[in-house]
Amino acid sequence: GIRIALERAGKLGYPVAAVGVAAPGPLDAQAGVVLMPPAFPELHHLRLRSRLEDDLGLPVRLEHNSTAAATAFLRQHDSENFVYLLLLEQGIGAGLVMERRVHRGAHGYAGEFGHVSLDVNGPPCPCGNRGCLERLADVDAICQAYAGRAEADLTLAQIVERAGQGEEVALEVLGQAGRSIGLAAVGLVNLLDPSMLVLGGPGARASPFLIPAIRRELRDRAYPYMGWGEHLEIRVCTLPNPVGRGAAECVLNALYRGDIALNQPRPAAGT
């Protein structure tokens, strides 16, 4: 965890000026508060930044997990405009990069891609809507869909392995998840005109079976007469721990901008 990383930095003689932390959204990065991530009720209204600052004695920067992952990818690649799709066990987020700037939206809530509703009569989502993308295509949804068809409780890695062996149920379940992601991505492509979609997170393990279905939906539905879907690059992120790397990058950027002052003592609680 954070303490282990701080201990390692101390042993190596690296001074730590601040700590970057990423969490599922929606969140208020400026206030340092995790708001109401539907899949994590235990995190609702958690004042994560102040809690960690009190515990660690260091300034803390809170960032949305998909924005953090996009920031890490941006650091390593020269693409000007891309969308980073973070495929998690519980949830799907989108980090939006335009003209090499990460966009968080007017209130900092941008990127809740998993709550694009694809079916108004679909399964209920903890967010209060129905048929949300993440209820159809996050890792948990894939595993549940497979269990419902094959009556076997497998991990995503095992489902991917079976798909690689040609098992029909595994191929159909992964294909449907890819179609759902592709349908939702059509709106992103039509609105933002990115040069690339990036798949990251645990769900990207299934990318060999997701990408063809995503590509078909984009080809057929994203301005097909212009061929956007056919020419859009779809890449898999290979960075180790992109969310953690991105959280560190975000706090470093905040230090460079002067949002966090170096060597500035934190005010005592309640002052």
Side-chain angles (χ1 to χ4, degrees), residues 12-38:
L12 293 171
Y14 297 145
V16 177
V19 174
V21 177
L27 54 79
D28 185 338
Q30 293 299 317
V33 178
V34 181
L35 296 175
M36 297 179 69

Side-chain angles (χ1 to χ4, degrees), residues 31-32 36 39 41 48 50 71 100 134 138 145 176 210 214 218 236-237 250:
M36 297 179 69
L48 184 58
S50 62
T71 300
R100 294 197 62 78
E134 63 186 47
D138 68 9
Q176 183 56 53
L210 298 176
I214 294 171
L218 290 172
V236 178
C237 177
C250 288

Side-chain angles (χ1 to χ4, degrees), residues 47-261:
R47 296 186 175 278
L48 184 58
R49 186 181 68 194
S50 62
R51 180 176 294 189
L52 288 174
E53 287 180 339
D54 289 341
D55 188 38
L56 302 173
L58 289 166
V60 172
R61 172 82 177 191
L62 177 63
E63 190 58 80
H64 194 292
N65 52 10
S66 57
T67 299
T71 300
F73 190 86
L74 178 64
R75 174 81 168 181
Q76 300 293 324
H77 296 272
D78 58 3
S79 177
E80 295 283 330
N81 302 278
F82 65 87
V83 178
Y84 190 111
L85 301 182
L86 185 62
L87 311 179
L88 299 168
E89 285 90 352
Q90 294 178 290
I92 298 176
L96 311 177
V97 175
M98 290 174 276
E99 298 181 349
R100 294 197 62 78
R101 295 185 62 183
V102 176
H103 284 258
R104 296 171 174 82
H107 304 96
Y109 304 160
E112 294 298 327
F113 185 57
H115 296 288
V116 172
S117 178
L118 297 178
D119 182 359
V120 295
N121 298 311
C125 179
C127 77
N129 205 344
R130 301 185 73 93
C132 289
L133 171 62
E134 63 186 47
R135 301 297 291 171
L136 305 172
D138 68 9
V139 173
D140 278 3
I142 291 171
C143 293
Q144 290 168 12
Y146 184 87
R149 294 278 304 278
E151 299 183 356
D153 188 13
L154 300 185
T155 65
L156 179 64
Q158 292 169 323
I159 296 170
V160 169
E161 181 179 3
R162 292 197 176 191
Q165 295 167 352
E167 185 190 279
E168 183 177 352
V169 173
L171 288 169
E172 288 179 357
V173 166
L174 293 175
Q176 183 56 53
R179 285 191 290 275
S180 295
I181 295 170
L183 280 169
V186 167
L188 285 177
V189 172
N190 285 349
L191 285 170
L192 302 178
D193 186 23
S195 62
M196 178 168 57
L197 295 181
V198 183
L199 305 186
R205 178 189 291 269
S207 58
F209 305 99
L210 298 176
I211 289 176
I214 294 171
R215 173 79 61 198
R216 283 193 296 272
E217 294 301 325
L218 290 172
R219 180 195 63 204
D220 294 343
R221 301 176 189 278
Y223 272 85
Y225 59 87
M226 293 182 66
W228 281 1
E230 293 183 47
H231 302 296
L232 181 69
E233 182 179 2
I234 303 177
R235 184 180 295 191
V236 178
C237 177
T238 58
L239 289 174
N241 188 19
V243 174
R245 284 171 173 253
E249 184 73 23
C250 288
V251 77
L252 186 62
N253 291 340
L255 287 166
Y256 285 151
R257 291 193 303 266
D259 296 344
I260 299 174

